[in-house]
Amino acid sequence: MTSRDGIVPAARYRWVSRFGAVVLSGVLLTGCVLYDDRDDPDSPQTSPGTEREVPLRVVEQGGQTLAFVPVNMEGEGPFMFALDTGASVSVVDEDVADRVGLERTGERRSVSGILGTGQVPVARVERWAVGDVRIDPGEVTVIDLGPPRGGGGIQGLLGSDVLSDFGSITVDYDDGVLSVPAA
């Protein structure tokens, strides 16, 4: 018995099953290729237009403009970190490092700033985030950033070592938003 298209019903079932398997395999294979592509450092990490936003506090004081973001470390915070694309390494105030229990690695690094050059301890951060955007575990330098002034102060600097991991960021001073690509 054949149908209008000349295919026997049992043969139609095998043909549809094989066709479905080929389509399903193609879809699954495409998913694998897309997944592998995400691990390629030269490929874009997100779809165009997909971003996560972090609140940004902009402070203008004494002719300077500083942009602060909330940073959580080891499950505590938020702490106010200044965005500092000119800093090659991220910094945490030693009081904050002690409060959250950051373990010092024993290494000391040379740092230079407007106040001079010195050797400072390095600590390991396992869990941290800027806003609700997770940051990979890494190292920070630990520096006494001084007492908070005027009810606030810098509790750390988020440097280019961390910011460059996002590939690109957008700092919107007018709307008070830091935008980073979604992971």
Side-chain angles (χ1 to χ4, degrees):
M1 179 167 142
T2 62
S3 65
R4 278 185 289 134
D5 56 8
I7 299 177
V8 177
R12 176 190 303 271
Y13 176 77
R14 281 192 302 271
W15 181 82
V16 170
S17 295
R18 285 186 185 141
F19 178 74
V22 168
V23 170
L24 182 59
S25 296
V27 169
L28 292 175
L29 186 57
T30 301
C32 291
V33 170
L34 290 176
Y35 178 78
D36 287 342
D37 198 27
R38 288 178 55 203
D39 292 336
D40 180 358
D42 294 330
S43 71
Q45 295 297 307
T46 61
S47 302
T50 305
E51 293 184 332
R52 295 181 69 184
E53 294 182 343
V54 175
L56 183 70
R57 186 177 69 158
V58 179
V59 176
E60 294 182 27
Q61 193 173 36
Q64 294 182 335
T65 302
L66 293 174
F68 290 92
V69 291
V71 173
N72 291 298
M73 301 180 91
E74 308 300 358
E76 294 193 41
F79 304 102
M80 295 313 292
F81 276 49
L83 288 181
D84 191 350
T85 58
S88 59
V89 295
S90 293
V91 172
V92 64
D93 181 72
E94 66 184 3
D95 288 339
V96 173
D98 292 341
R99 178 175 161 189
V100 302
L102 294 185
E103 188 174 323
R104 307 313 197 267
T105 65
E107 178 186 355
R108 296 182 73 79
R109 289 191 184 143
S110 180
V111 295
S112 298
I114 59 171
L115 298 177
T117 301
Q119 295 286 319
V120 297
V122 175
R124 179 90 183 143
V125 183
E126 293 300 325
R127 293 181 305 125
W128 58 333
V130 56
D132 64 352
V133 179
R134 191 179 152 277
I135 300 172
D136 289 336
E139 294 179 339
V140 293
T141 55
V142 180
I143 299 175
D144 179 4
L145 294 173
R149 293 179 199 85
I154 298 174
Q155 295 174 299
L157 302 173
L158 206 54
S160 61
D161 59 333
V162 170
L163 297 172
S164 64
D165 287 345
F166 294 115
S168 66
I169 62 168
T170 302
V171 179
D172 186 336
Y173 289 93
D174 292 332
D175 291 333
V177 174
L178 168 68
S179 299
V180 299

